[in-house]
Every structure is written in structure tokens, then in C-alpha cells.
């Protein structure tokens, strides 16, 4: 019997939809800075074993100068992790990802809530403006 004829695959998840929805509801209550801090604790742990790829958080912009124009291609910046040790443990102000720049090491475009943050790709400390 072919694999698609064996019926549905058993779920691989160890949590239920309800449990994940409760977690999502709680995450939606966080400020942007708190959410970035939580995801910094989670996403890098999902990198592949050889370090060739990692999960990151990103912000994408699409500009549409005139409502009748086609939107431009998205502009994407990776969310850099605040250098909390330089800010007495602070995760930055609650009002958004206002600092941006380019990682000097891997050249990724990055954004953050603070001016000094670690690149999510290579970990380099970035100076943002």
C-alpha cells in the first residue's frame, strides 16, 4: 500500500491546538520588545545542527506611494537581539523597531528596539542608527 493510501499521519506535535492557541493569546499580550526577547530565547534553538541555517524574526515593508500603483518589492530587515548587557538588562523601549543598520560581519540588514544589538544570523554586535 502506498504512503498516501495508509490514511492520515499521526500528529507529530506534543501540544494540542488549544494549548498552542493559549500560548499565542499570551504572546499577543506582550509588547514588541517583550516578544522579541521571548523569540530570542526560542528561535536560535531551532537552528540546524551544522549551523548553516537558523530561524529569525524579520520585519518586511512594502511601499505603495500611490494607491493605484503596484506595491514595490518588500524591503526586509532581520530583527537583531538587544545587547541587554549594555542596557542593564533592558529590552528597549516599547514603541517599536526604530533602529536599523547592516551587520558588519555578515552584511545582513537588521533592525532593533535599541542602538546596540546582536545580529540574529551571526551574533555580531551591531551599531544601529
Amino acid at each position: 500500500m502506498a504512503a498516501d493510501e495508509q490514511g492520515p499521519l499521526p500528529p507529530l506535535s506534543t501540544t494540542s491546538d488549544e494549548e498552542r492557541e493559549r500560548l499565542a493569546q499570551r504572546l499577543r499580550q506582550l509588547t514588541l520588545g517583550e516578544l522579541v526577547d521571548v523569540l530570542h530565547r526560542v528561535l536560535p534553538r531551532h537552528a540546524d545542527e551544522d549551523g548553516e541555517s537558523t530561524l529569525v524574526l524579520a520585519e518586511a515593508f512594502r511601499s505603495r506611494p500611490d494607491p493605484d500603483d503596484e506595491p514595490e518589492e518588500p524591503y526586509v530587515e532581520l530583527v537583531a537581539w538587544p545587547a541587554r548587557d549594555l542596557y542593564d538588562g533592558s529590552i528597549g523601549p516599547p514603541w517599536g523597531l526604530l533602529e536599523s543598520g547592516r551587520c558588519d560581519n555578515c552584511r545582513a540588514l537588521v533592525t532593533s528596539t535599541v542602538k546596540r544589538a546582536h545580529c540574529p544570523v551571526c551574533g555580531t554586535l551591531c551599531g544601529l542608527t
Side-chain angles (χ1 to χ4, degrees):
M1 186 184 304
D4 59 345
E5 295 173 3
Q6 295 176 359
L9 294 174
L12 297 177
S13 176
T14 58
T15 60
S16 69
D17 281 339
E18 293 81 16
E19 290 170 314
R20 290 189 303 277
E21 180 55 33
R22 282 193 301 274
L23 177 59
Q25 286 174 0
R26 179 66 183 115
L27 290 173
R28 286 190 293 267
Q29 294 172 351
L30 299 176
T31 66
L32 180 59
E34 291 169 331
L35 180 63
V36 168
D37 186 57
V38 168
L39 293 178
H40 175 232
R41 299 167 193 230
V42 175
L43 292 178
R45 292 198 169 105
H46 290 277
D48 65 2
E49 290 183 19
D50 61 8
E52 290 294 317
S53 70
T54 188
L55 291 179
V56 298
L57 180 62
E59 183 174 47
F61 302 90
R62 283 180 52 138
S63 176
R64 182 181 247 159
D66 185 302
D68 295 329
D69 291 346
E70 287 292 317
E72 294 178 8
E73 289 188 27
Y75 176 78
V76 178
E77 293 177 316
L78 306 182
V79 177
W81 315 122
R84 294 181 60 180
D85 55 324
L86 299 177
Y87 297 98
D88 295 325
S90 174
I91 56 177
W95 50 78
L97 300 168
L98 301 178
E99 309 298 339
S100 62
R102 186 178 294 274
C103 175
D104 287 337
N105 183 54
C106 73
R107 308 302 296 155
L109 293 172
V110 295
T111 185
S112 186
T113 57
V114 294
K115 290 188 178 290
R116 304 284 287 165
H118 296 279
C119 175
V121 175
C122 68
T124 298
L125 182 63
C126 301
L128 309 176
T129 59

